[in-house]
Amino acid sequence: MQRRTFLTATTVSLAATQIVGPAYAYAAPSHSPSGSTAAGHYEVVARFWGAMPTGVTVSRRGRVFVNFPRWGDDVPFTVAELRGGKPVAYPDAEVNREDASDLAGHFQSVQSVVVDPADRLWILDTGSPLFAGSSYGGPKLVAVDLRTDRIVRKILFPPEVVPANSYPNDVRFDLRRGAEGMAFITDSGGSNGIIVVDLATGRSWRRLAGHPSALPDGQFLPVIEGEPFMVRPAGGEPIHYETGSDGIALSADGTRLYYCPLSSRRLHSVSTDALADPDATDAEVAATVEDLGFKPMADGLESDDRGRLYGGDLEHNSIWRRSPNGTYRTLAQGSDLLWVDTLSVASDRHLYAIANQLNRLSPFHEGKDLRRKPYLLVRLPIDAGPVRLV
């Protein structure tokens, strides 16, 4: 089942879910590890008692940004900065107001926030609240200047690049390419694949659409919290959960883009030179794809400046690191690391991660929302910094 089908089921189930407590809540950083195992330790940075977060990113000065997609929870603002112990609408409340009459002028449903190598905050708006499909103006990439906290760039995706059933998921940046850099985005809906954006012109194009490396594994059946992870509609038969290209990360030298379907245990990479060439054919891009073998079931991916990859192991409540030689190491594990979503390497040489219990959503449990708040933002020390291609 493609993510689009799952999203339709989610719309009905989550819209009926009653959120108890405040829309957002935040706990001050813990000064001692909240989780500790033989694999390592992590500390809780924030606890969220309302809407479910998916993304996190950290600026060079340590400003922390998160986002809350409009999947059915009460979401008064879809992008926030953590300030003085609480999330605040960012860059302001007005732009965060969902407005179907002004799709381009407001954030509709943000899936990802990423600080680029120039220390600008980029906001990836799916344009698809409740996964109901998008229209032109909704799906967009928006840049905020962190010195002034003002929007300085807005790139709208045309329907031929981001069709109504697409779901732009996560983004990475190489500012050395072209006049002002390029962005690479995974599309988890529609035909899956990679979206490439020329930041100078705003032109965008699709690559690897429908390529096997970007598609879900139809035989994939993970086990999470002791049971097969499947879509389980109330009164219906369980069906496989199938989501394609999701996690994304750039190599430290910028020559390769790593990506993975969510419904898979395979990791692939592709040449960024091929992706960034608007005149390259699909066949020419596909010829540069490499199968890098096994990886744990992961949602987001991240990389550091030492050439290593990071992800969450959704089946084992843990966070792993992959070395350039292909070996894996578990960095942290804990019962509260339930569905590690987005990861972000920060200048403070920590890896930040969102754990949001996505597997407990009602579509996977016959209409019953089993999430137990709070959702967590955690971090753990690593001996590396972020990839900065500038």
Side-chain angles (χ1 to χ4, degrees), residues 90-367:
Y90 189 83
D92 56 53
E94 175 59 24
V95 75
N96 273 277
R97 180 173 59 83
E98 183 183 352
D99 187 347
S101 68
D102 185 11
L103 296 176
H106 294 80
F107 299 152
Q108 305 300 318
S109 181
V110 172
Q111 176 66 24
S112 183
V113 287
V114 175
V115 172
D116 75 5
D119 214 36
R120 298 170 295 187
L121 177 70
W122 288 88
I123 296 163
L124 183 60
D125 189 352
T126 67
S128 184
L130 294 175
F131 310 112
S134 63
S135 299
Y136 181 71
K140 53 189 172 287
L141 191 59
V142 178
V144 180
D145 184 340
L146 295 181
R147 296 169 300 179
T148 63
D149 297 320
R150 293 182 179 273
I151 292 175
V152 293
R153 191 70 198 281
K154 187 182 299 180
I155 298 173
L156 307 182
F157 299 119
E160 62 270 21
V161 175
V162 178
N165 65 346
S166 288
Y167 196 83
N169 194 297
D170 206 352
V171 58
R172 295 294 182 267
F173 297 89
D174 185 343
L175 301 186
R176 306 169 307 172
R177 296 181 177 275
E180 297 180 18
M182 288 192 174
F184 304 94
I185 300 169
T186 45
D187 184 357
S188 296
S191 58
N192 300 128
I194 306 294
I195 299 163
V196 185
V197 187
D198 184 327
L199 299 180
T201 64
R203 181 184 175 188
S204 56
W205 53 92
R206 294 182 67 87
R207 289 292 180 256
L208 300 178
H211 189 273
S213 65
L215 296 178
D217 178 355
Q219 303 302 312
F220 182 63
L221 186 60
V223 175
I224 301 178
E225 291 196 283
E227 68 174 11
F229 180 62
M230 305 180 76
V231 177
R232 301 177 186 275
E237 291 295 320
I239 51 178
H240 280 240
Y241 171 69
E242 297 184 2
T243 294
S245 47
D246 191 309
I248 188 172
L250 279 163
S251 63
D253 62 5
T255 62
R256 306 293 295 181
L257 183 76
Y258 300 99
Y259 61 99
C260 63
L262 177 52
S263 301
S264 171
R265 293 191 188 91
R266 307 298 294 184
L267 176 68
H268 289 83
S269 73
V270 62
S271 163
T272 47
D273 284 342
L275 289 174
D277 182 357
D279 299 319
T281 66
D282 289 340
E284 288 171 337
V285 176
T288 72
V289 170
E290 293 182 4
D291 185 340
L292 300 177
F294 169 86
K295 63 147 189 58
M297 181 192 184
D299 195 330
L301 294 177
E302 179 60 306
S303 54
D304 68 23
D305 57 9
R306 294 181 58 183
R308 302 174 300 187
L309 289 180
Y310 299 84
D313 183 342
L314 303 183
E315 295 181 272
H316 298 97
N317 297 355
S318 63
I319 295 172
W320 50 262
R321 181 168 66 199
R322 180 186 186 272
S323 297
N325 64 6
T327 58
Y328 286 81
R329 176 187 174 188
T330 298
L331 298 183
Q333 188 171 31
S335 59
D336 54 359
L337 292 181
L338 187 57
W339 198 284
V340 174
D341 197 318
T342 299
L343 304 100
S344 180
V345 172
S347 298
D348 63 8
R349 301 176 76 81
H350 281 76
L351 176 70
Y352 289 72
I354 291 286
N356 62 18
Q357 305 176 39
L358 186 149
N359 63 292
R360 291 179 174 176
L361 285 169
S362 53
F364 307 116
H365 301 281
E366 300 180 344

Side-chain angles (χ1 to χ4, degrees), residues 17-24 48-51 73-74 369 371 373:
T17 299
Q18 295 297 313
I19 303 299
V20 178
Y24 297 100
F48 303 97
W49 295 89
D73 289 337
D74 177 18
D369 185 355
R371 295 175 295 172
K373 300 176 181 63

Side-chain angles (χ1 to χ4, degrees), residues 24-34 42-49 64 82-87 352 374-379:
Y24 297 100
Y26 173 71
S30 166
H31 296 290
S32 61
S34 70
Y42 53 93
E43 63 179 308
V44 174
V45 176
R47 295 178 174 89
F48 303 97
W49 295 89
V64 180
L82 299 184
R83 294 180 189 166
K86 100 184 244 195
Y352 289 72
Y375 313 112
L376 300 181
L377 168 59
V378 303
R379 71 174 188 172

